[in-house]
Amino acid sequence: MNIIDKSKLIKNHELTALENVESYLKTIKNKNNKINAFLEVKEDEAIQQAEKIDKRIKKGEKVGKLAGLAIGVKTNINIEDFIISAASKTLENYNGSYNATVIDRIKAEDGIILGTTNMDEFAAGSSTETSYFGVTDNPAAPGRIPGGSSGGSAAAIAAEMCDLSLGSDTGGSIRNPASHCGVMGFKSTYGVVSRQGLLDLAMSLEQIGPFANDASGIALMLDSIVGYDPRECTSLKDTPSFEGITENTQDIMKGMKLGVVKEFFDVSDDKISKIVEERIDKMAEMGAEVVELSFKYLDLCIPTYYLINYVEFFSATRKYDGRKYGYRIEEVCGDEVLRRIHIGSYISQKEYSGKYYKKALQARSLIRREITGLLDGVDALISPTVPKLPHKLGESLDPMDMYAYDVLTVIANLAGIPAGSMKAGEIDGIPVGLQIQGKPLDDAKIIQLMAGIEQIQ
Ligand code: GLN
């Protein structure tokens, strides 16, 4: 049963919101000690909210799109009265003083927020190992990283601790853990989802977005949270509609033109490429036309992304000076956050000569032009999401090896285009993800493709 069907059961009172929430709370109790996906859970409030929704349904009152569904939220998105720490000691005592726009919208649609989920410190990572609150285990491949930085939100879905969850994606932080945990994750076109209330990593690159176990869940969450937000300057006026888009998608492949970029497969492990190619063959059997393409600037993507990330992150962290709230960030943060602050500060100082940042912006334009040029001729690009399998917990990687996980995901952030990840198969039981990237504002088309692919057996 998919998430939209489940939400209908709740609305018809065939399943109560209370039963739904209680069963997830039980799973969290049983599994969270080991997995560490959730950082804070408010049981009593969730139960009270569920009871209220059930009462309204019984009385025949209209309830929202997310009525009775259980939701986890990455702990860098403000929720009133939850600790919003961004998994850093800097903010370990910061109590959310307001709701981010996406949280207001979830509440308006009667979604039930169970709690906050684990992540890399300030979302700066690809493994969830840099959290001040300990690592998250991968429920689909125990003993390995869940990916990151939204590792807790992906693991919560994989471990069936909630129906839906939210993450943030600056350079892949939704798609990467979705890939490693074998679930679905989606980053929208820049500006489609309000960033208001998100603790920034790098504001020109990031979007809040959903995780789910099926495409209907991705569509339902987006349908609830997208839309213009007058409180946020990067928010777009006209946003796509997601209502009902995953229904009747069995023939979606017919007439679709899918681009396969050779270089995206060349950088990936052979076994990962093979699994994704097999899926593409299936899509072709179902009526899609597949064309081979070439992308010139793959080598530029990681340096360009990280340079911009360092500079924007450095600027975003200046408010954590210990005066207004929290501790002074440099005094308590972990190595990766400190590295970004130092390099970001250095680059900003050198900027009068346009030495680095200006060059990175030029490279960003080239990358954007190249990828949107490729997309002009096709409906979507299909590739692996992450070029290698998740490493074992406890294995230590040097920063460049950690960054290498992101080579296929940062492009969508640099270009502001929509991209989703879903499971393509497994290697020795470890999930492998497939990424779909599309034209700006073609978000719904990508999710429909994901709905089509999930029907392939
Ligand atoms: N791994 C990337 C980084 O460390 C992406 C992080 C993210 O998307 N939040 O910056």
Side-chain angles (χ1 to χ4, degrees):
M1 182 178 45
N2 72 30
I3 288 289
I4 289 189
D5 291 338
K6 184 179 190 182
S7 82
K8 286 179 189 156
L9 283 189
I10 296 177
K11 282 181 184 148
N12 292 335
H13 222 68
E14 289 169 63
L15 169 74
T16 66
L18 185 63
E19 284 163 348
N20 189 40
V21 160
E22 278 184 331
S23 96
Y24 284 125
L25 290 173
K26 201 166 141 205
T27 307
I28 293 173
K29 233 185 216 134
N30 290 338
K31 295 193 191 167
N32 199 49
N33 264 348
K34 181 168 179 299
I35 293 174
N36 198 26
F38 274 94
L39 292 181
E40 186 183 14
V41 176
K42 292 207 171 162
E43 271 192 34
D44 295 346
E45 285 175 23
I47 287 173
Q48 277 167 20
Q49 227 183 316
E51 284 171 342
K52 268 192 205 153
I53 288 166
D54 285 330
K55 261 190 207 145
R56 283 168 54 203
I57 292 172
K58 250 194 183 148
K59 276 200 233 154
E61 282 175 31
K62 191 170 168 358
V63 288
K65 291 175 186 146
L66 297 170
L69 296 179
I71 294 160
V73 177
K74 187 175 182 178
T75 185
N76 63 348
I77 300 171
N78 266 285
I79 319 173
E80 213 174 320
D81 291 331
F82 273 91
I83 297 289
I84 306 302
S85 65
S88 179
K89 183 172 170 59
T90 316
L91 296 174
E92 67 176 331
N93 299 317
Y94 170 59
N95 206 10
S97 50
Y98 68 101
N99 284 330
T101 298
V102 292
I103 300 300
D104 273 339
R105 290 184 179 170
I106 286 173
K107 293 196 166 189
E109 295 296 343
D110 296 315
I112 299 175
I113 291 168
L114 296 187
T116 54
T117 58
N118 203 8
M119 57 185 279
D120 278 298
E121 183 178 20
F122 283 106
S126 311
S127 68
T128 312
E129 291 168 302
T130 67
S131 167
Y132 177 61
F133 303 101
V135 299
T136 293
D137 196 4
N138 184 334
R144 292 189 182 257
I145 56 156
S149 63
S150 316
S153 294
I157 296 295
E160 311 222 353
M161 293 175 171
C162 55
D163 291 299
L164 298 165
S165 63
L166 286 183
S168 63
D169 190 311
T170 315
S173 279
I174 292 176
R175 291 160 287 150
N176 167 303
S179 174
H180 289 325
C181 292
V183 302
M184 283 195 189
F186 187 79
K187 180 203 87 76
S188 58
T189 302
Y190 189 74
V192 164
V193 179
S194 171
R195 291 173 34 263
Q196 193 270 344
L198 173 70
L199 307 191
D200 291 329
L201 171 60
M203 64 83 75
S204 81
L205 298 161
E206 62 210 357
Q207 286 284 283
I208 294 171
F211 289 92
N213 266 321
D214 62 69
S216 86
I218 297 287
L220 183 65
M221 178 56 102
L222 285 169
D223 189 25
S224 309
I225 63 174
V226 297
Y228 177 62
D229 178 5
R231 288 187 294 179
E232 214 250 292
C233 62
T234 62
S235 164
L236 294 176
K237 283 249 159 65
D238 291 315
T239 51
S241 164
F242 295 92
E243 200 176 340
I245 58 165
T246 52
E247 284 161 29
N248 307 320
T249 43
Q250 54 281 0
D251 291 329
I252 190 80
M253 292 301 162
K254 293 204 177 107
M256 279 281 176
K257 204 166 168 184
L258 304 176
V260 172
V261 174
K262 192 179 162 296
E263 290 79 2
F264 295 172
F265 290 80
D266 292 346
V267 291
S268 302
D269 285 355
D270 290 345
K271 284 182 177 171
I272 293 179
S273 293
K274 191 163 166 268
I275 286 179
V276 175
E277 280 159 3
E278 280 167 10
R279 290 272 107 169
I280 294 170
D281 289 344
K282 285 260 164 65
M283 292 181 227
E285 279 169 28
M286 290 165 76
E289 182 191 345
V290 178
V291 293
E292 193 173 299
L293 301 169
S294 175
F295 179 79
K296 273 187 277 189
Y297 302 121
L298 199 57
D299 291 347
L300 275 183
C301 293
I302 291 282
T304 304
Y305 165 79
Y306 275 94
L307 210 147
I308 294 171
N309 185 299
Y310 292 156
V311 172
E312 292 188 15
F313 182 55
F314 168 65
S315 145
T317 56
R318 293 312 81 201
K319 58 185 169 287
Y320 308 121
D321 56 9
R323 270 179 288 201
K324 263 201 187 144
Y325 53 97
Y327 304 105
R328 184 162 173 262
I329 188 166
E330 288 86 345
E331 279 166 16
V332 293
C333 70
D335 292 345
E336 180 60 27
V337 164
L338 197 58
R339 176 178 305 114
R340 294 187 192 207
I341 291 174
H342 284 159
I343 304 179
S345 153
Y346 177 81
I347 297 170
S348 304
Q349 281 165 32
K350 295 282 169 202
E351 204 40 43
Y352 63 90
S353 57
K355 212 170 164 189
Y356 301 109
Y357 189 63
K358 212 168 132 197
K359 288 225 169 71
L361 293 182
Q362 285 165 347
R364 182 176 185 173
S365 296
L366 274 183
I367 292 163
R368 188 190 291 127
R369 227 180 298 143
E370 175 84 355
I371 198 81
T372 48
L374 292 184
L375 280 161
D376 268 346
V378 295
D379 290 291
L381 302 175
I382 314 285
S383 70
T385 306
V386 187
K388 47 184 186 157
L389 292 178
H391 60 265
K392 291 195 174 130
L393 290 171
E395 223 173 86
S396 92
L397 260 58
D398 75 44
M400 289 317 288
D401 286 336
M402 190 65 88
Y403 295 173
Y405 275 119
D406 306 328
V407 62
L408 298 176
T409 46
V410 295
I411 302 166
N413 305 80
L414 289 165
I417 59 175
S421 180
M422 64 191 291
K423 187 172 170 182
E426 287 177 2
I427 297 172
D428 301 331
I430 304 165
V432 168
L434 162 160
Q435 176 171 233
I436 309 177
Q437 305 184 76
K439 297 182 184 66
L441 297 175
D442 262 358
D443 303 53
K445 190 192 272 181
I446 297 183
I447 294 164
Q448 288 181 309
L449 272 169
M450 291 167 84
I453 297 169
E454 78 187 339
Q455 292 166 45
I456 303 175
Q457 282 321 318

